[in-house]
PDB file of all heavy atoms in Angstrom:
ATOM      1  N   ASP J   1      66.072 171.884 120.781  1.00 95.00           N
ATOM      2  CA  ASP J   1      65.876 170.998 119.668  1.00 95.00           C
ATOM      3  C   ASP J   1      64.614 170.570 119.458  1.00 95.00           C
ATOM      4  O   ASP J   1      63.848 170.462 118.221  1.00 95.00           O
ATOM      5  CB  ASP J   1      66.928 169.810 119.620  1.00 95.00           C
ATOM      6  CG  ASP J   1      66.737 169.049 121.006  1.00 95.00           C
ATOM      7  OD1 ASP J   1      66.193 169.588 121.959  1.00 95.00           O
ATOM      8  OD2 ASP J   1      67.102 167.775 120.854  1.00 95.00           O
ATOM      9  N   GLU J   2      63.822 170.255 120.531  1.00 96.00           N
ATOM     10  CA  GLU J   2      62.402 169.852 120.456  1.00 96.00           C
ATOM     11  C   GLU J   2      61.430 171.025 120.164  1.00 96.00           C
ATOM     12  O   GLU J   2      60.531 170.981 119.393  1.00 96.00           O
ATOM     13  CB  GLU J   2      61.983 169.181 121.766  1.00 96.00           C
ATOM     14  CG  GLU J   2      62.754 167.844 122.070  1.00 96.00           C
ATOM     15  CD  GLU J   2      62.360 167.239 123.410  1.00 96.00           C
ATOM     16  OE1 GLU J   2      61.119 167.095 123.502  1.00 96.00           O
ATOM     17  OE2 GLU J   2      63.167 166.967 124.195  1.00 96.00           O
ATOM     18  N   ILE J   3      61.757 172.205 120.834  1.00 96.00           N
ATOM     19  CA  ILE J   3      60.981 173.407 120.747  1.00 96.00           C
ATOM     20  C   ILE J   3      60.982 173.825 119.338  1.00 96.00           C
ATOM     21  O   ILE J   3      59.838 174.292 118.808  1.00 96.00           O
ATOM     22  CB  ILE J   3      61.354 174.468 121.746  1.00 96.00           C
ATOM     23  CG1 ILE J   3      61.082 174.044 123.177  1.00 96.00           C
ATOM     24  CG2 ILE J   3      60.751 175.858 121.406  1.00 96.00           C
ATOM     25  CD1 ILE J   3      61.736 175.031 124.214  1.00 96.00           C
ATOM     26  N   ARG J   4      61.971 173.812 118.606  1.00 96.00           N
ATOM     27  CA  ARG J   4      62.114 174.268 117.299  1.00 96.00           C
ATOM     28  C   ARG J   4      61.922 173.165 116.320  1.00 96.00           C
ATOM     29  O   ARG J   4      61.846 173.363 115.076  1.00 96.00           O
ATOM     30  CB  ARG J   4      63.546 174.909 116.967  1.00 96.00           C
ATOM     31  CG  ARG J   4      63.619 176.138 117.896  1.00 96.00           C
ATOM     32  CD  ARG J   4      65.118 176.790 117.549  1.00 96.00           C
ATOM     33  NE  ARG J   4      65.354 177.938 118.388  1.00 96.00           N
ATOM     34  CZ  ARG J   4      66.361 178.085 119.174  1.00 96.00           C
ATOM     35  NH1 ARG J   4      67.368 177.049 119.329  1.00 96.00           N
ATOM     36  NH2 ARG J   4      66.578 179.297 119.863  1.00 96.00           N
ATOM     37  N   GLY J   5      61.876 171.986 116.786  1.00 92.00           N
ATOM     38  CA  GLY J   5      61.853 170.848 115.871  1.00 92.00           C
ATOM     39  C   GLY J   5      60.743 170.677 114.780  1.00 92.00           C
ATOM     40  O   GLY J   5      60.858 170.284 113.684  1.00 92.00           O
ATOM     41  N   SER J   6      59.538 171.339 115.053  1.00 89.00           N
ATOM     42  CA  SER J   6      58.416 171.218 114.220  1.00 89.00           C
ATOM     43  C   SER J   6      58.382 172.359 113.336  1.00 89.00           C
ATOM     44  O   SER J   6      57.370 172.458 112.471  1.00 89.00           O
ATOM     45  CB  SER J   6      57.190 170.994 115.120  1.00 89.00           C
ATOM     46  OG  SER J   6      56.919 172.150 115.853  1.00 89.00           O
ATOM     47  N   GLU J   7      59.322 173.272 113.379  1.00 92.00           N
ATOM     48  CA  GLU J   7      59.181 174.512 112.498  1.00 92.00           C
ATOM     49  C   GLU J   7      59.649 174.228 111.206  1.00 92.00           C
ATOM     50  O   GLU J   7      60.571 173.395 110.909  1.00 92.00           O
ATOM     51  CB  GLU J   7      59.957 175.666 113.170  1.00 92.00           C
ATOM     52  CG  GLU J   7      59.500 176.099 114.631  1.00 92.00           C
ATOM     53  CD  GLU J   7      58.053 176.580 114.616  1.00 92.00           C
ATOM     54  OE1 GLU J   7      57.704 177.278 113.597  1.00 92.00           O
ATOM     55  OE2 GLU J   7      57.455 176.519 115.607  1.00 92.00           O
ATOM     56  N   TYR J   8      59.051 174.965 110.265  1.00 91.00           N
ATOM     57  CA  TYR J   8      59.421 174.911 108.777  1.00 91.00           C
ATOM     58  C   TYR J   8      60.909 175.388 108.639  1.00 91.00           C
ATOM     59  O   TYR J   8      61.710 174.722 107.845  1.00 91.00           O
ATOM     60  CB  TYR J   8      58.449 175.575 107.970  1.00 91.00           C
ATOM     61  CG  TYR J   8      58.742 175.566 106.465  1.00 91.00           C
ATOM     62  CD1 TYR J   8      58.588 174.371 105.730  1.00 91.00           C
ATOM     63  CD2 TYR J   8      59.103 176.748 105.712  1.00 91.00           C
ATOM     64  CE1 TYR J   8      58.871 174.307 104.404  1.00 91.00           C
ATOM     65  CE2 TYR J   8      59.251 176.649 104.390  1.00 91.00           C
ATOM     66  CZ  TYR J   8      59.288 175.467 103.691  1.00 91.00           C
ATOM     67  OH  TYR J   8      59.342 175.336 102.299  1.00 91.00           O
ATOM     68  N   LEU J   9      61.294 176.450 109.128  1.00 94.00           N
ATOM     69  CA  LEU J   9      62.545 177.076 108.999  1.00 94.00           C
ATOM     70  C   LEU J   9      63.084 177.424 110.513  1.00 94.00           C
ATOM     71  O   LEU J   9      63.145 178.608 110.763  1.00 94.00           O
ATOM     72  CB  LEU J   9      62.527 178.454 108.162  1.00 94.00           C
ATOM     73  CG  LEU J   9      62.185 178.176 106.674  1.00 94.00           C
ATOM     74  CD1 LEU J   9      61.967 179.598 106.057  1.00 94.00           C
ATOM     75  CD2 LEU J   9      63.232 177.416 105.869  1.00 94.00           C
ATOM     76  N   PRO J  10      63.561 176.413 111.264  1.00 97.00           N
ATOM     77  CA  PRO J  10      63.900 176.735 112.606  1.00 97.00           C
ATOM     78  C   PRO J  10      65.182 177.537 112.622  1.00 97.00           C
ATOM     79  O   PRO J  10      66.083 177.448 111.785  1.00 97.00           O
ATOM     80  CB  PRO J  10      64.129 175.309 113.134  1.00 97.00           C
ATOM     81  CG  PRO J  10      64.425 174.451 111.997  1.00 97.00           C
ATOM     82  CD  PRO J  10      63.582 175.054 110.837  1.00 97.00           C
ATOM     83  N   THR J  11      65.379 178.293 113.732  1.00 97.00           N
ATOM     84  CA  THR J  11      66.643 179.154 113.783  1.00 97.00           C
ATOM     85  C   THR J  11      66.749 179.563 115.175  1.00 97.00           C
ATOM     86  O   THR J  11      65.843 179.600 116.048  1.00 97.00           O
ATOM     87  CB  THR J  11      66.358 180.469 112.939  1.00 97.00           C
ATOM     88  OG1 THR J  11      67.652 181.159 112.954  1.00 97.00           O
ATOM     89  CG2 THR J  11      65.373 181.228 113.496  1.00 97.00           C
ATOM     90  N   SER J  12      68.080 179.878 115.505  1.00 97.00           N
ATOM     91  CA  SER J  12      68.514 180.339 116.835  1.00 97.00           C
ATOM     92  C   SER J  12      69.041 181.701 116.653  1.00 97.00           C
ATOM     93  O   SER J  12      69.402 182.381 117.575  1.00 97.00           O
ATOM     94  CB  SER J  12      69.633 179.454 117.454  1.00 97.00           C
ATOM     95  OG  SER J  12      70.714 179.475 116.570  1.00 97.00           O
ATOM     96  N   ARG J  13      68.835 182.394 115.454  1.00 97.00           N
ATOM     97  CA  ARG J  13      69.345 183.740 115.116  1.00 97.00           C
ATOM     98  C   ARG J  13      68.125 184.618 114.948  1.00 97.00           C
ATOM     99  O   ARG J  13      67.024 184.187 114.685  1.00 97.00           O
ATOM    100  CB  ARG J  13      70.037 183.775 113.792  1.00 97.00           C
ATOM    101  CG  ARG J  13      71.345 182.880 113.762  1.00 97.00           C
ATOM    102  CD  ARG J  13      71.844 182.555 112.520  1.00 97.00           C
ATOM    103  NE  ARG J  13      71.724 183.680 111.503  1.00 97.00           N
ATOM    104  CZ  ARG J  13      71.780 183.464 110.261  1.00 97.00           C
ATOM    105  NH1 ARG J  13      71.908 182.304 109.701  1.00 97.00           N
ATOM    106  NH2 ARG J  13      71.590 184.522 109.409  1.00 97.00           N
ATOM    107  N   LEU J  14      68.366 185.924 115.154  1.00 97.00           N
ATOM    108  CA  LEU J  14      67.350 186.967 115.023  1.00 97.00           C
ATOM    109  C   LEU J  14      67.284 187.442 113.671  1.00 97.00           C
ATOM    110  O   LEU J  14      66.141 187.488 112.944  1.00 97.00           O
ATOM    111  CB  LEU J  14      67.585 188.029 115.970  1.00 97.00           C
ATOM    112  CG  LEU J  14      66.709 189.332 115.849  1.00 97.00           C
ATOM    113  CD1 LEU J  14      65.129 188.929 116.082  1.00 97.00           C
ATOM    114  CD2 LEU J  14      67.101 190.460 116.824  1.00 97.00           C
ATOM    115  N   VAL J  15      68.370 187.849 113.104  1.00 97.00           N
ATOM    116  CA  VAL J  15      68.425 188.505 111.764  1.00 97.00           C
ATOM    117  C   VAL J  15      68.395 187.294 110.636  1.00 97.00           C
ATOM    118  O   VAL J  15      69.469 186.469 110.817  1.00 97.00           O
ATOM    119  CB  VAL J  15      69.666 189.420 111.616  1.00 97.00           C
ATOM    120  CG1 VAL J  15      69.738 190.028 110.234  1.00 97.00           C
ATOM    121  CG2 VAL J  15      69.566 190.597 112.543  1.00 97.00           C
ATOM    122  N   PRO J  16      67.600 187.270 109.760  1.00 95.00           N
ATOM    123  CA  PRO J  16      67.706 186.277 108.689  1.00 95.00           C
ATOM    124  C   PRO J  16      69.065 186.413 107.874  1.00 95.00           C
ATOM    125  O   PRO J  16      69.627 187.472 107.963  1.00 95.00           O
ATOM    126  CB  PRO J  16      66.429 186.527 107.855  1.00 95.00           C
ATOM    127  CG  PRO J  16      65.559 187.229 108.737  1.00 95.00           C
ATOM    128  CD  PRO J  16      66.358 188.065 109.657  1.00 95.00           C
ATOM    129  N   GLU J  17      69.319 185.418 107.163  1.00 92.00           N
ATOM    130  CA  GLU J  17      70.608 185.364 106.383  1.00 92.00           C
ATOM    131  C   GLU J  17      70.642 186.514 105.373  1.00 92.00           C
ATOM    132  O   GLU J  17      69.746 186.680 104.614  1.00 92.00           O
ATOM    133  CB  GLU J  17      70.816 184.022 105.734  1.00 92.00           C
ATOM    134  CG  GLU J  17      72.252 183.801 105.055  1.00 92.00           C
ATOM    135  CD  GLU J  17      72.478 182.441 104.695  1.00 92.00           C
ATOM    136  OE1 GLU J  17      71.687 181.553 105.074  1.00 92.00           O
ATOM    137  OE2 GLU J  17      73.331 182.224 103.869  1.00 92.00           O
ATOM    138  N   ILE J  18      71.788 187.322 105.598  1.00 90.00           N
ATOM    139  CA  ILE J  18      72.084 188.388 104.632  1.00 90.00           C
ATOM    140  C   ILE J  18      73.452 188.292 103.998  1.00 90.00           C
ATOM    141  O   ILE J  18      74.343 187.970 104.857  1.00 90.00           O
ATOM    142  CB  ILE J  18      71.863 189.767 105.234  1.00 90.00           C
ATOM    143  CG1 ILE J  18      70.375 189.993 105.713  1.00 90.00           C
ATOM    144  CG2 ILE J  18      72.267 190.952 104.304  1.00 90.00           C
ATOM    145  CD1 ILE J  18      70.057 191.154 106.339  1.00 90.00           C
ATOM    146  N   PRO J  19      73.817 188.449 102.776  1.00 89.00           N
ATOM    147  CA  PRO J  19      75.227 188.291 102.382  1.00 89.00           C
ATOM    148  C   PRO J  19      76.087 189.357 103.136  1.00 89.00           C
ATOM    149  O   PRO J  19      75.625 190.530 103.402  1.00 89.00           O
ATOM    150  CB  PRO J  19      74.964 188.686 100.930  1.00 89.00           C
ATOM    151  CG  PRO J  19      73.699 188.450 100.457  1.00 89.00           C
ATOM    152  CD  PRO J  19      72.839 188.725 101.582  1.00 89.00           C
ATOM    153  N   ASN J  20      77.228 188.778 103.493  1.00 93.00           N
ATOM    154  CA  ASN J  20      78.272 189.519 104.223  1.00 93.00           C
ATOM    155  C   ASN J  20      77.963 189.900 105.682  1.00 93.00           C
ATOM    156  O   ASN J  20      78.823 190.507 106.380  1.00 93.00           O
ATOM    157  CB  ASN J  20      78.639 190.891 103.466  1.00 93.00           C
ATOM    158  CG  ASN J  20      78.998 190.536 102.068  1.00 93.00           C
ATOM    159  OD1 ASN J  20      79.848 189.690 101.784  1.00 93.00           O
ATOM    160  ND2 ASN J  20      78.543 191.394 100.998  1.00 93.00           N
ATOM    161  N   TYR J  21      76.797 189.616 106.114  1.00 96.00           N
ATOM    162  CA  TYR J  21      76.318 189.738 107.530  1.00 96.00           C
ATOM    163  C   TYR J  21      76.926 188.630 108.378  1.00 96.00           C
ATOM    164  O   TYR J  21      76.801 187.538 107.936  1.00 96.00           O
ATOM    165  CB  TYR J  21      74.848 189.870 107.807  1.00 96.00           C
ATOM    166  CG  TYR J  21      74.382 190.285 109.173  1.00 96.00           C
ATOM    167  CD1 TYR J  21      74.440 191.506 109.642  1.00 96.00           C
ATOM    168  CD2 TYR J  21      73.895 189.295 110.024  1.00 96.00           C
ATOM    169  CE1 TYR J  21      74.129 191.879 110.804  1.00 96.00           C
ATOM    170  CE2 TYR J  21      73.422 189.607 111.335  1.00 96.00           C
ATOM    171  CZ  TYR J  21      73.581 190.841 111.547  1.00 96.00           C
ATOM    172  OH  TYR J  21      73.331 191.164 112.940  1.00 96.00           O
ATOM    173  N   PRO J  22      77.443 188.879 109.458  1.00 95.00           N
ATOM    174  CA  PRO J  22      78.073 187.825 110.467  1.00 95.00           C
ATOM    175  C   PRO J  22      77.098 186.620 110.626  1.00 95.00           C
ATOM    176  O   PRO J  22      75.976 186.831 111.002  1.00 95.00           O
ATOM    177  CB  PRO J  22      78.471 188.489 111.695  1.00 95.00           C
ATOM    178  CG  PRO J  22      78.623 189.927 111.318  1.00 95.00           C
ATOM    179  CD  PRO J  22      77.620 190.227 110.223  1.00 95.00           C
ATOM    180  N   GLN J  23      77.585 185.462 110.536  1.00 86.00           N
ATOM    181  CA  GLN J  23      76.687 184.305 110.780  1.00 86.00           C
ATOM    182  C   GLN J  23      77.186 183.573 112.223  1.00 86.00           C
ATOM    183  O   GLN J  23      78.308 183.142 112.319  1.00 86.00           O
ATOM    184  CB  GLN J  23      76.858 183.297 109.584  1.00 86.00           C
ATOM    185  CG  GLN J  23      76.614 183.824 108.314  1.00 86.00           C
ATOM    186  CD  GLN J  23      75.217 184.216 108.153  1.00 86.00           C
ATOM    187  OE1 GLN J  23      74.413 183.366 108.388  1.00 86.00           O
ATOM    188  NE2 GLN J  23      74.947 185.369 107.480  1.00 86.00           N
ATOM    189  N   PHE J  24      76.355 183.545 113.035  1.00 85.00           N
ATOM    190  CA  PHE J  24      76.541 182.759 114.306  1.00 85.00           C
ATOM    191  C   PHE J  24      75.315 182.323 114.910  1.00 85.00           C
ATOM    192  O   PHE J  24      74.204 182.682 114.360  1.00 85.00           O
ATOM    193  CB  PHE J  24      77.287 183.769 115.310  1.00 85.00           C
ATOM    194  CG  PHE J  24      76.626 184.949 115.642  1.00 85.00           C
ATOM    195  CD1 PHE J  24      75.473 184.927 116.506  1.00 85.00           C
ATOM    196  CD2 PHE J  24      76.737 186.221 114.971  1.00 85.00           C
ATOM    197  CE1 PHE J  24      74.778 186.191 116.809  1.00 85.00           C
ATOM    198  CE2 PHE J  24      76.008 187.242 115.221  1.00 85.00           C
ATOM    199  CZ  PHE J  24      74.967 187.268 116.108  1.00 85.00           C
ATOM    200  N   LYS J  25      75.454 181.540 115.917  1.00 91.00           N
ATOM    201  CA  LYS J  25      74.177 180.929 116.439  1.00 91.00           C
ATOM    202  C   LYS J  25      73.976 181.375 117.893  1.00 91.00           C
ATOM    203  O   LYS J  25      74.791 181.572 118.655  1.00 91.00           O
ATOM    204  CB  LYS J  25      74.279 179.378 116.433  1.00 91.00           C
ATOM    205  CG  LYS J  25      74.470 178.782 114.972  1.00 91.00           C
ATOM    206  CD  LYS J  25      74.792 177.296 114.975  1.00 91.00           C
ATOM    207  CE  LYS J  25      74.842 176.849 113.623  1.00 91.00           C
ATOM    208  NZ  LYS J  25      75.065 175.375 113.553  1.00 91.00           N
ATOM    209  N   GLY J  26      72.640 181.300 118.293  1.00 96.00           N
ATOM    210  CA  GLY J  26      72.362 181.641 119.613  1.00 96.00           C
ATOM    211  C   GLY J  26      72.185 180.469 120.439  1.00 96.00           C
ATOM    212  O   GLY J  26      72.946 179.393 120.127  1.00 96.00           O
ATOM    213  N   ILE J  27      71.449 180.427 121.444  1.00 97.00           N
ATOM    214  CA  ILE J  27      71.315 179.240 122.414  1.00 97.00           C
ATOM    215  C   ILE J  27      70.591 178.062 121.589  1.00 97.00           C
ATOM    216  O   ILE J  27      69.466 178.336 121.176  1.00 97.00           O
ATOM    217  CB  ILE J  27      70.738 179.572 123.604  1.00 97.00           C
ATOM    218  CG1 ILE J  27      71.591 180.530 124.454  1.00 97.00           C
ATOM    219  CG2 ILE J  27      70.419 178.330 124.424  1.00 97.00           C
ATOM    220  CD1 ILE J  27      70.870 181.146 125.711  1.00 97.00           C
TER     221      ILE J  27
END
């Protein structure tokens, strides 16, 4: 939460959001 906290668009996923693509979270 701290490492990603200062980012404009923080994420725990590799593939950006795409319609119909599975949505889940990493660590």
Side-chain angles (χ1 to χ4, degrees):
D1 53 341
E2 295 179 56
I3 290 172
R4 298 181 178 122
S6 61
E7 299 296 332
Y8 181 65
L9 296 170
T11 187
S12 63
R13 295 162 39 197
L14 174 61
V15 179
E17 187 171 343
I18 295 176
N20 302 318
Y21 184 78
Q23 305 292 314
F24 56 84
K25 298 177 180 179
I27 296 173

